[in-house]
C-alpha cells in the first residue's frame, strides 16, 4: 500500500523544492544577525538593512510549511493540488502544527484532490470550472476544516511534546540524540535516510531549536572529510588502501564536502560499502553527539564550512567536526583492505593471431 501511494516520493519532491527556500531564509537571518540586525516589530518605525535581512529571513521560514504542503499536494495531484496544499500549510502555521502538520495536510488534500478529479461528475457547462474553482474550493473547504478541528489537534500536541523533549534533554541524553541524528545523516550519503534526518532537523529549526540543524550540517561533511583523512594516512604510512580510481574520486569528494555535498563519497562507498558506511556513521555519530551535547546551534540549514561563522559556537562546531572526521578517517584506514588493482595488460601480448582463426 505504501509503495502504491508513493509517500516517500512525494516527500522527497517536497524536500527538493523546500531546500532553496530554507537555505536562502537561513542565510538571510545569519547575515542579518552577524551585522547586528533584529526582527522588525514595527514597520512604521525606522529600521536598518540588517533588520530587513533578518525579518525577510524570518518571513521566508514561515513559507516552509506552505511549500511542503503545496509541493506534496502538487506531486500527488498535479496543478489542481497546489492551491489547496498551500492553504493546508497556512493552517499548519496558524495552529502551531509546524512542518509535520504541513506534510500531513499536503498528503490529505493531495489525495482528496486526486479523488475529486477522478470521480466528481459535473454538467458539461461546469467542466471548465472544475480545475480553477470547484476542485480547489471543495478540497480546501473539507480538508481545511478537518485540519482546524480534527487532524491538527494531535499534530500540535505531538509537535509541542517533541519540542519540549528536545529542550529538556540533558547530558548523555543530548549526546545520544545527536548521535542518532548524526548517524542517520551520514548513513546513505544524501539518500532517503539522510533526507529523513534532514527534514527532521529543518522542522525543528522552524520551532526555534537549532542544535539538530548543526548536527545535520556536521554529519553531512564528516564522510568526505573522513575519507580524505584516511587517504592521507595511507600515504603517510605507505600502506595503499585506495585504488587509483578511488583516489581520483576522493579528490572530487573533498571540495564537495566543503560545500556540504555528501554524494561525492558514493563512488568510494560503492567499492567497499560496509567498511565505508560503518566508518562514516561512527564518526558522524560521535561528532553529532558532541555538537549536540555542547549546545552548538545552526540558524542555517545548509552551506558547509561557509556557514560556520553563523553558528552559535563556531569553535566547538569545528572541534566536533574535526573529531568526527578523524574518527572516520582512522577507522576506515584500519578497516579497509588493500585495493585489488586491475592487471595492466601488455598491448603486445594482447595481439591476436587472426591467421589461426578458421571460418566455419
Amino acid at each position: 500500500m505504501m509503495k502504491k501511494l508513493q509517500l516517500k516520493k512525494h516527500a522527497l519532491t517536497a524536500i527538493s523544492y523546500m531546500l532553496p527556500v530554507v537555505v536562502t531564509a537561513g542565510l538571510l537571518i545569519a547575515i542579518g544577525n552577524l551585522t547586528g540586525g533584529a526582527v522588525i516589530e514595527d514597520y512604521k518605525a525606522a529600521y536598518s538593512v540588517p533588520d530587513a535581512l533578518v525579518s525577510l529571513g524570518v518571513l521566508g521560514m514561515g513559507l516552509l510549511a506552505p511549500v511542503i504542503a503545496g509541493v506534496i499536494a502538487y506531486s500527488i495531484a498535479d496543478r489542481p493540488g497546489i492551491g489547496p496544499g498551500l492553504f493546508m500549510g497556512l493552517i499548519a502555521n496558524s495552529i502551531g502544527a509546524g512542518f509535520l502538520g504541513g506534510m500531513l495536510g499536503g498528503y490529505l488534500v493531495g489525495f482528496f484532490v486526486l479523488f475529486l478529479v477522478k470521480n466528481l461528475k459535473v454538467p458539461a457547462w461546469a467542466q471548465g470550472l472544475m480545475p480553477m474553482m470547484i476542485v480547489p474550493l471543495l478540497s480546501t473547504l473539507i480538508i481545511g476544516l478537518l485540519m482546524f478541528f480534527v487532524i491538527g489537534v494531535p499534530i500540535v500536541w505531538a509537535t509541542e511534546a517533541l519540542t519540549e523533549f528536545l529542550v529538556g534533554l540533558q547530558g548523555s541524553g543530548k549526546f545520544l540524540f545527536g548521535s542518532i541524528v548524526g548517524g542517520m545523516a551520514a548513513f546513505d550519503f544524501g539518500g532517503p535516510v539522510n533526507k529523513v534526518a534532514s527534514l527532521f532537523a529543518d522542522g525543528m529549526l522552524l520551532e526555534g531549536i537549532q542544535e539538530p540543524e548543526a548536527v545535520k550540517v556536521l554529519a553531512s561533511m564528516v564522510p568526505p572529510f573522513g575519507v580524505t583523512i584516511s587517504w592521507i594516512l595511507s600515504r603517510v604510512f605507505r600502506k595503499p588502501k585506495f585504488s587509483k580510481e578511488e583516489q581520483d574520486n576522493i579528490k572530487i569528494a573533498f571540495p564537495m564536502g566543503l560545500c556540504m555535498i555528501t554524494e561525492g563519497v558514493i563512488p568510494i562507498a560503492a567499492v567497499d560499502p560496509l567498511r565505508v558506511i560503518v566508518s562514516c556513521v561512527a564518526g558522524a555519530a560521535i561528532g553529532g553527539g558532541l555538537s549536540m551535547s555542547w549546545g552548538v546551534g545552526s540558524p542555517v540549514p545548509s552551506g558547509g564550512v561557509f556557514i560556520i561563522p553563523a553558528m552559535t559556537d563556531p569553535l566547538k562546531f569545528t572541534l566536533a567536526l574535526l573529531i568526527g572526521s578523524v574518527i572516520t578517517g582512522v577507522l576506515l584506514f584500519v578497516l579497509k583492505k588493500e585495493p585489488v588493482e586491475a592487471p595492466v595488460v601488455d598491448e603486445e601480448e594482447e595481439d591476436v593471431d587472426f591467421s589461426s582463426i578458421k571460418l566455419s
Side-chain angles (χ1 to χ4, degrees):
M1 182 65 176
M2 294 281 283
K3 186 176 181 181
K4 186 177 180 181
L5 294 177
Q6 294 185 304
L7 300 182
K8 184 173 74 175
K9 170 184 173 291
H10 304 313
L12 293 178
T13 301
I15 292 169
S16 67
Y17 278 79
M18 180 194 72
L19 277 177
V21 179
V22 73
V23 170
T24 302
L27 286 172
L28 286 170
I29 293 172
I31 294 168
N33 284 334
L34 288 172
T35 51
V39 177
I40 299 171
E41 302 292 344
D42 182 6
Y43 283 90
K44 292 181 180 179
Y47 50 83
S48 64
V49 171
D51 293 338
L53 294 179
V54 174
S55 301
L56 182 57
V58 171
L59 291 172
M61 285 296 183
L63 289 173
L64 298 191
V67 169
I68 289 173
V71 176
I72 285 177
Y74 165 72
S75 180
I76 295 169
D78 209 357
R79 259 190 295 180
I82 296 176
L86 292 173
F87 277 108
M88 296 310 109
L90 291 173
I91 294 172
N93 272 350
S94 300
I95 65 177
F99 83 104
L100 291 175
M103 289 188 71
L104 183 59
Y107 281 122
L108 290 173
V109 83
F111 286 119
F112 190 71
V113 167
L114 195 62
F115 172 80
L116 290 179
V117 169
K118 289 182 177 179
N119 296 282
L120 184 63
K121 306 298 181 185
V122 296
W125 61 267
Q127 287 289 340
L129 299 175
M130 279 283 286
M132 62 179 292
M133 187 180 76
I134 297 174
V135 169
L137 177 61
L138 283 178
S139 55
T140 302
L141 179 67
I142 294 170
I143 306 300
L145 290 175
L146 283 175
M147 284 286 290
F148 269 120
F149 296 105
V150 181
I151 299 165
V153 176
I155 295 295
V156 173
W157 290 344
T159 302
E160 290 177 350
L162 182 58
T163 303
E164 290 175 8
F165 168 74
L166 292 177
V167 171
L169 281 175
Q170 299 294 332
S172 59
K174 275 194 169 186
F175 184 88
L176 178 61
F177 180 82
S179 297
I180 293 171
V181 175
M184 288 179 65
F187 177 74
D188 54 357
F189 315 109
V193 178
N194 170 281
K195 291 293 189 294
V196 170
S198 178
L199 182 61
F200 172 79
D202 294 344
M204 288 299 97
L205 184 61
L206 296 182
E207 307 302 322
I209 300 175
Q210 299 181 352
E211 289 84 356
E213 203 68 79
V215 174
K216 182 196 81 174
V217 173
L218 178 147
S220 298
M221 291 192 286
V222 162
F225 290 178
V227 169
T228 304
I229 290 172
S230 180
W231 172 59
I232 292 171
L233 290 174
S234 72
R235 299 290 298 271
V236 170
F237 291 99
R238 298 183 181 278
K239 290 188 176 181
K241 296 284 183 175
F242 298 92
S243 66
K244 177 66 169 61
E245 185 178 356
E246 287 175 303
Q247 293 178 52
D248 292 339
N249 286 325
I250 290 172
K251 293 173 185 176
I252 298 170
F254 179 74
M256 290 176 70
L258 293 172
C259 302
M260 198 183 143
I261 302 173
T262 320
E263 285 82 353
V265 179
I266 292 175
I268 301 143
V271 177
D272 191 357
L274 182 60
R275 293 179 179 86
V276 174
I277 290 172
V278 166
S279 302
C280 291
V281 168
I286 294 173
L290 291 173
S291 174
M292 188 80 184
S293 61
W294 290 341
V296 180
S298 173
V300 187
S302 185
V305 297
F306 305 102
I307 63 166
I308 293 178
M311 295 194 177
T312 57
D313 196 329
L315 289 177
K316 286 183 179 177
F317 177 86
T318 303
L319 182 59
L321 174 62
L322 180 62
I323 291 171
S325 300
V326 168
I327 288 171
T328 291
V330 172
L331 193 56
L332 184 59
F333 173 71
V334 172
L335 294 178
K336 206 170 189 316
K337 305 297 182 183
E338 290 191 13
V340 179
E341 296 279 8
V344 179
V345 179
D346 190 334
E347 292 183 359
E348 294 182 1
E349 293 180 3
E350 197 181 19
D351 288 343
V352 179
D353 182 8
F354 289 97
S355 62
S356 64
I357 299 176
K358 296 181 180 179
L359 298 175
S360 56

